[in-house]
């Protein structure tokens, strides 16, 4: 399965990473090399094997649905690129 | 008192408790070492000297009043992916430049609870993606070791290269680190230091900047196995803030380091003999086997048949999880936001293109590709199935052996710039370490010898889940038999 520039453009968009046109071909080359190496996974017989999503031998722990802290507007906004009056400020994107 | 910065963590903590010297004295000595070395080695991205001196003063007061904690007064370096309240945390990325967490990671909170002193934040590969510490937005870290064959600057390994370099160059007593595919053990091997990745779930991931959540685990890089046991004990805890944290008690592993290994069964996996492995690595491994045999261990030939698939599995699973974890860096709530944008999507895409470095972007694109419609089953789900096969390989041998011995890395430290051209060659550095992450097992790297150019090499011990005690026992036996690999000659 060869990855071409158009595929890279599509995937880079899915990943929300702006990629200039002159980077598409080189990136396709790098990804093809990596994916060709990864293709050896096709040698493994995985019939009937359950996918392993976690290596913790316990069910995911749930906690009570209660507020453990809160009312920390200043802390929450402290790293915002821009904020005002207790809100995030983002550029106008809807006309 | 001779040079305090050359002490082991254990000796320093004992000396502090005995009031042989004060925390202010040893902290000042480290700050001065850092000032002299850091322009050359680039191990710290931020030095918190004022905070360190204030913490040291508070430690001295606690020692005076008889309330010393397990690490009271000991100056440590903190990898820059542990969130530290009020202190910039960047994970080595432009994306997080200026990010000052309003909270503390559980691992560092545990260390401060036990009285440790923070010297500063340590350099690392961007978002912990790398095996040479060349992908940091703050520039590469330099290994304090030099090859006899060349004066070239060497990499300390990655992604915890700043941690390893700082410990090896006496810029802290010990350091926190994190390991997703080998990022503690590989740099430890490259710098002649000790690094342990504990069982997945032992150390809380709360407040650690996430790379691949099912693989990431915190651990220490230290000068000795005993130091690693001492520091890991403070780092680990059950934490309700991390849903994968294991509700188990944390043993005193310092007792295990030093216990006899007589009668232990040590597995030697035949599949770890990889193509093109240097003769020196094989010789080191053989030496390790001989040492353990001499110490009374029974050596067992074992098979882990899916070993060769571990790295390709990792390079599906890790980027897939990274693409999900790093989706939060969209320029909205924190981190870098692009200046100009024509639409919402353009703002996301431009912010991320400007904020992330090349290796991170490469992995995010791979992650998005393997998770995308049409390839999800063929790549991602298949990799998760192979991952189970790899974990089952280990389950099958635990009946026959108590621990497994392998080399830590396929070579000694290489020069900065050497392997940057080809990502796959770079990825192969983690060939011996990555299986332990996929299976969630504890693994330690212990300095075991020097190559023909005088560079340190490490041996790795992998143990059963939650059996760090045996890992420390065998690691300490190797450390003792090796008799140390010495220290890097000071040239910086």
């Amino acid at each position: 399965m060869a990855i071409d520039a158009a595929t890279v453009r599509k995937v880079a968009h899915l990943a929300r990473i702006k990629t200039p046109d002159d980077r598409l071909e080189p990136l396709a080359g790098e990804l093809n090399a990596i994916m060709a190496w990864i293709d050896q996974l096709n040698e493994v017989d995985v019939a009937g094997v359950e996918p392993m999503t976690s290596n913790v031998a316990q069910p995911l722990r749930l906690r009570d649905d209660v507020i453990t802290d809160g009312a920390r507007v200043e802390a929450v906004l402290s790293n915002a690129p821009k904020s005002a009056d207790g809100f995030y400020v983002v550029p106008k994107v809807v006309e | 008192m001779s040079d305090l910065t050359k002490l082991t963590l254990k000796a320093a903590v004992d000396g502090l408790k005995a009031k042989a010297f004060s925390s202010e004295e040893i902290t000042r000595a480290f700050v001065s070492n850092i000032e002299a070395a850091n322009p050359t080695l680039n191990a710290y991205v931020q030095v918190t000297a004022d905070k360190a001196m204030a913490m040291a003063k508070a430690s001295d007061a606690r020692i005076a009043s008889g309330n010393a904690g397990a690490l009271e007064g000991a100056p440590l370096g903190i990898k820059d992916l542990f969130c530290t309240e009020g202190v910039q945390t960047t994970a080595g990325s432009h994306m997080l430049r200026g990010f000052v967490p309003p909270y503390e990671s559980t691992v560092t909170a545990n260390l401060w609870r036990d009285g440790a002193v923070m010297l500063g934040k340590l350099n690392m590969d961007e978002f912990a993606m790398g095996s040479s510490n060349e992908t940091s937005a703050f520039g590469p870290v330099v290994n304090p070791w030099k090859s006899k064959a060349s004066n070239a600057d060497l990499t300390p390994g990655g992604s915890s290269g700043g941690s390893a370099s700082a410990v090896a160059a006496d810029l802290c007593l010990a350091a926190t680190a994190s390991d997703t595919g080998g990022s503690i053990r590989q740099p430890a091997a490259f710098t002649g230091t000790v690094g342990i990745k504990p069982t997945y779930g032992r150390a809380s991931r709360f407040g650690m900047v996430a790379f691949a959540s099912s693989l990431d685990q915190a651990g220490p890089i230290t000068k000795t196995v005993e130091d690693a046991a001492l520091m890991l004990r403070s780092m680990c805890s059950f934490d309700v803030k991390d849903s994968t944290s294991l509700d188990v008690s944390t043993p005193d592993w310092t007792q295990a380091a030093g216990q006899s290994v007589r009668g232990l069964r040590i597995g030697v996996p035949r599949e770890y003999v990889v193509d093109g492995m240097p003769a020196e690595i094989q010789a080191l491994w053989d030496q390790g086997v001989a040492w353990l045999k001499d110490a009374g261990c029974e050596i067992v030939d074992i098979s882990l048949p899916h070993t060769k698939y571990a790295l390709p599995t990792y390079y599906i699973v890790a980027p897939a999880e990274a693409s999900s974890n790093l989706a939060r860096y969209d320029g909205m709530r924190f981190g870098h936001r692009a200046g100009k944008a024509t639409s919402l999507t353009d703002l996301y895409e431009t912010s991320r293109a400007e904020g992330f470095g090349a290796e991170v972007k490469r992995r995010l694109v791979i992650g998005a590709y393997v998770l995308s419609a049409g390839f999800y089953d063929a790549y991602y789900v298949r990799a998760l199935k192979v991952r189970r096969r790899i974990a089952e390989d280990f389950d099958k041998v635990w009946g026959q052996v108590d621990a497994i011995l392998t080399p830590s890395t396929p070579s000694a430290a290489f020069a900065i710039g050497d392997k940057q051209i080809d990502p796959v060659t770079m990825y192969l550095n983690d060939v011996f370490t990555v299986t332990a992450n996929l299976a969630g097992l504890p693994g330690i790297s212990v300095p075991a010898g020097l190559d023909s150019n005088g560079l340190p090499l490490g041996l790795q011990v992998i143990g059963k889940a939650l059996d760090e005690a045996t890992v420390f026992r065998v690691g300490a036996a190797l450390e003792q038999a090796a008799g140390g690999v010495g220290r890097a000659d000071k040239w910086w």
Side-chain angles (χ1 to χ4, degrees), chain A residues 13 18 30 43 50 61, chain B residues 242 309 346 349 362 388:
Chain A
H13 174 66
K18 181 168 270 184
E30 287 169 24
E43 298 165 13
E50 274 294 301
R61 208 176 37 252
Chain B
D242 172 0
Y309 302 109
D346 187 52
E349 293 194 342
R362 178 155 52 217
R388 185 172 299 279

Side-chain angles (χ1 to χ4, degrees), chain B residues 301-367:
Chain B
D301 174 47
I302 57 167
S303 175
L304 299 167
H306 295 89
T307 298
K308 73 174 273 207
Y309 302 109
L311 265 183
T313 299
Y314 174 82
Y315 277 96
I316 296 282
V317 173
E321 293 186 13
S323 78
S324 167
N325 275 323
L326 272 57
R328 74 190 65 178
Y329 303 103
D330 58 5
M332 289 296 144
R333 289 148 298 152
F334 48 82
H336 174 75
R337 180 188 286 177
K340 280 190 200 132
T342 55
S343 67
L344 184 61
T345 304
D346 187 52
L347 181 62
Y348 292 150
E349 293 194 342
T350 309
S351 297
R352 288 163 65 80
E354 291 174 358
F356 293 134
E359 181 62 25
V360 170
K361 285 191 248 193
R362 178 155 52 217
R363 296 201 200 186
L364 292 179
V365 170
I366 294 172

